[in-house]
């Protein structure tokens, strides 16, 4: 694989990679994976991951490297024999452009990276043999760039950003359709086909993700106030926010802030 300079890798991947970092789950190696608007890939440094949907008995599976599509339910991640690894999140269009599958094929799913993108099957092993974070990051970026080269002729992912931007810019699906110059029915079909969720579900993920960011920022600043966050996010009141958070995270905002807000990856 040709080694591309770091600044060129970052520039080429900027439209697709939302985050790329190392992680450490800390004592116990257990983490709650929350819903988000991105597709995540988690690659442990040692051993394997056990991930299942929180509250769904028998759903846990073991993975060498896991790809999690858009989901509206919490997952539980357990990593024994080591708690560190590499975590990255991709925008929905990146699924087709980097992995070669539409985001809709991954919706609500937890899958082995080797099954989703066979050309990346050796990535966990290569990362395990590398102890330098800059080199580990470079290996991941080079694998993603190779995927971009393989799938650059797939134009479906290139048409999606405008649709997602419209949904992000308004709280009403009908208004997003108006901005795009199409009917609500057409927009619904387009989003379902591309993402595997409805436009309203995608907006629900957007709001949840925004609230999560606000809660983390408030916790870091020492100004956590659920009522203020609820109002800023458009919830009727704090109780409304708590109900929605419990439905999507499996716990209250206060519980999540206390245990996991500032550590670990999302699923």
């Amino acid at each position: 694989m040709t080694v591309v300079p770091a600044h060129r890798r970052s520039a080429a991947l900027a439209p697709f990679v939302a985050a790329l970092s190392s992680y450490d789950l800390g004592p116990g190696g257990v983490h709650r994976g929350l819903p988000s608007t991105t597709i995540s890939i988690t690659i442990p440094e040692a051993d394997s991951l056990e991930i299942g949907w929180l509250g769904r008995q028998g759903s846990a599976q073991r993975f060498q490297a896991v790809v999690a599509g858009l989901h509206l339910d919490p997952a539980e991640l357990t990593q024994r024999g080591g708690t560190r690894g590499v975590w990255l999140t991709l925008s929905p269009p990146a699924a087709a452009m980097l992995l070669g599958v539409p985001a809709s094929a991954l919706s609500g799913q937890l899958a082995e990276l080797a099954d989703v993108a066979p050309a990346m099957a050796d990535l966990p092993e290569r990362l395990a043999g590398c102890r330098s974070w800059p080199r580990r990051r470079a290996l991941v970026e080079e694998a993603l760039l190779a995927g971009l080269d393989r799938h650059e002729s797939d134009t479906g992912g290139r048409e999606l950003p405008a649709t997602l931007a419209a949904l992000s810019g308004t709280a009403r699906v009908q208004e997003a359709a108006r901005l795009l110059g199409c009917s609500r029915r057409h927009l619904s079909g387009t989003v379902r086909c591309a993402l595997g969720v409805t436009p309203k579900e995608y907006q629900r993920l957007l709001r949840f993700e925004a609230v999560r960011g606000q809660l983390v920022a408030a916790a870091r600043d020492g100004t956590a106030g659920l009522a203020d966050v609820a109002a800023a996010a458009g919830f009727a009141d704090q109780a409304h926010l708590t109900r929605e958070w419990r439905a999507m995270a499996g716990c209250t905002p206060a519980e999540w802030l206390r245990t996991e807000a500032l550590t670990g990856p999302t699923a």
Side-chain angles (χ1 to χ4, degrees):
M1 182 181 295
T2 302
V3 178
V4 180
H7 68 281
R8 290 177 55 193
R9 292 196 307 268
S10 297
L13 294 172
F16 309 108
V17 179
L20 170 56
S21 66
S22 61
Y23 70 82
D24 189 336
L25 300 182
V30 179
H31 174 70
R32 187 186 303 262
L34 300 183
S36 78
T37 62
T38 58
I39 294 156
S40 69
I41 302 176
T42 308
I43 307 173
E45 184 176 298
D47 201 359
S48 59
L49 295 168
E50 182 177 288
I51 304 181
W53 300 112
L54 197 65
R56 297 188 204 172
Q57 190 172 4
S59 67
Q61 303 176 64
R62 298 201 72 83
F63 299 92
Q64 293 301 313
V66 64
V67 181
L70 270 63
H71 55 96
L72 283 87
D73 301 306
E76 186 173 65
L77 181 154
T78 305
Q79 185 174 331
R80 307 298 185 193
T83 60
R84 297 181 296 180
V86 174
W87 169 71
L88 60 150
T89 59
L90 309 177
S91 66
M97 301 300 294
L98 302 183
L99 304 180
V101 298
S104 57
L106 303 170
S107 178
Q109 303 296 315
L110 300 169
E112 189 70 58
L113 176 62
D115 294 334
V116 174
M120 297 184 187
D122 66 341
L123 186 57
E125 182 178 356
R126 296 177 67 203
L127 287 171
C130 182
R131 297 305 174 192
S132 159
W133 167 244
R135 183 54 188 152
R136 289 166 70 83
R137 182 186 182 97
L139 284 175
V140 174
E141 290 178 334
E142 287 162 9
L144 295 174
L145 285 174
L148 185 60
D149 287 341
R150 284 190 297 272
H151 307 297
E152 63 181 352
S153 62
D154 186 338
T155 59
R158 300 186 189 278
E159 300 168 356
L160 188 55
T163 299
L164 301 187
L167 288 170
S168 302
T170 176
R172 296 177 59 83
V173 175
Q174 185 62 47
E175 178 61 15
R178 187 193 68 77
L179 292 172
L180 292 165
C182 66
S183 68
R184 178 168 180 158
R185 181 175 181 179
H186 177 80
L187 175 59
S188 180
T190 298
V191 173
R192 277 183 174 275
C193 182
L195 303 187
V197 297
T198 67
K200 184 53 69 177
E201 287 172 333
Y202 182 73
Q203 290 184 323
R204 187 182 179 197
L205 288 170
L206 281 169
R207 184 162 71 165
F208 179 84
E209 197 168 59
V211 167
R212 185 180 67 206
Q214 291 165 10
L215 288 174
V216 170
R220 284 176 172 157
D221 294 340
T223 59
L226 293 182
D228 291 338
V229 171
F235 288 95
D237 51 29
Q238 181 177 329
H240 183 197
L241 166 61
T242 299
R243 287 195 300 272
E244 177 72 349
W245 188 276
R246 187 186 291 277
M248 298 184 73
C251 65
T252 67
E255 289 170 335
W256 181 73
L257 283 169
R258 186 169 57 251
T259 59
E260 294 196 64
L262 305 180
T263 61
T266 60

